Amino acid sequence: MQALGVSSFEEITSEEILSALNRLAVEAKLGVIGSERKYKNLAHAAKEASAKANRIASRLSAVDEALVVRDFAKAYEGLKVLIQDDDAVSSLTQQIVEDCIQCGYLHFSNQGRTHNFEELSEVANSVESDLIAFPTVCFLAEMQQEHATRQKSNLLLKNSLVHINSLKDRYGNESQQSIRLILLEALCLRRLGERGDLSALQQAENLLLELVEEETDYPIEIVNTLANAQLRLHTVFQESGALERMATTLESCPDLPDDVELSELQAYPKFLNAYGNYYKQRLKLSQSSGEYATAIEKYTQAEVFWTEKTAPYEWAMIQKNRADVREIYLNNSAYFDPSILMIAHREIENSLKYRTESNAPYQFERSRIVKSRILELARRNDIKLS
């Protein structure tokens, strides 16, 4: 009766009793709703979702900033954390996975740390198969080839070629996919060719000459690989006209655009290095101080992209090439400048810091040969190198 607000049932009608009971039922229901704190819980969930979204957005922004300054290590780490974040699974795209593998590949390759390539395979294996797009497959194949080319044995390079041909069978129907695989194939053939396989080198040049005629997304990469194939035809097999063809190829390279694919950005300093190698061969033929100066200039331009801090392995290649061209110049110059020999010795020592017998035995041997020539030149001219 207290709940109904009366002292006796005789004081109210049956209609008033039903009305009061309905009111009590509604109040009871509202009490249950209030005790559930449904909207407070929803608000909490919304805040959590917002915090997760903000965290993901913050990581993506950090990756973007890293890519602007070509900090592939930071970009890779940021994308890897994102891939491994359970809260970000719904945000993952093929592009994120592709860029993660590519940035990791560029970082580890530039550092000379091919033993870390296995980590990239593990990252790729950790995501759903539908997130592994064709470009990611190509980066994984290129990674395999990059490891192979640093070994003295040709076996791993030949295995890479077999793998690329299997990918051509699987993906080779679409035009741009076919071009990407032909580029990988030509690069592998060029690398086998420089080790003494003339037919592989000729096949690489023919494949790339066909690509030059097509509209592709990789003009700088094609020019670089083709120029290097022609260079090896000249240096390894003394093929007549190869150096002239190399000059034509290098002159056809487009300028680096502002909005550029990472693979093209990575190919550009390789192109500059190839240009330096072209002038090094010209120097051997002409003994001109102009050829020497231009070769050094091209190598130095490549060094803008490959610093000792960000790309020590590739930077070491530049040091080796500059030391090599200085030795060639001094060995054939009418005027011997000891200071140039000192610089060459310092450069080859820097090269051997990062192209070691353990991480790149094939490249180490090539640097060691340059060093032995520099030491012999110093001995003949009674120069003491520190």
Side-chain angles (χ1 to χ4, degrees), residues 198 246 255-256 282 319 351:
L198 175 59
M246 182 185 183
D255 292 332
L256 191 65
R282 288 278 302 270
Q319 307 313 303
S351 174

Side-chain angles (χ1 to χ4, degrees), residues 353-382:
K353 285 196 302 183
Y354 300 109
R355 295 165 83 88
T356 67
E357 193 168 15
S358 60
N359 77 355
Y362 180 75
Q363 287 75 15
F364 167 80
E365 181 62 19
R366 296 176 74 175
S367 290
R368 190 195 62 77
I369 290 171
V370 173
K371 180 178 178 178
S372 68
R373 295 208 315 266
I374 290 171
L375 294 177
E376 173 59 20
L377 187 58
R379 185 193 65 77
R380 291 203 318 264
N381 289 275
D382 197 25

Side-chain angles (χ1 to χ4, degrees), residues 132-148:
I132 303 297
F134 173 75
T136 304
V137 172
C138 287
F139 289 131
L140 292 170
E142 187 173 347
M143 179 178 72
Q144 178 188 25
Q145 186 181 153
E146 184 65 28
H147 172 70

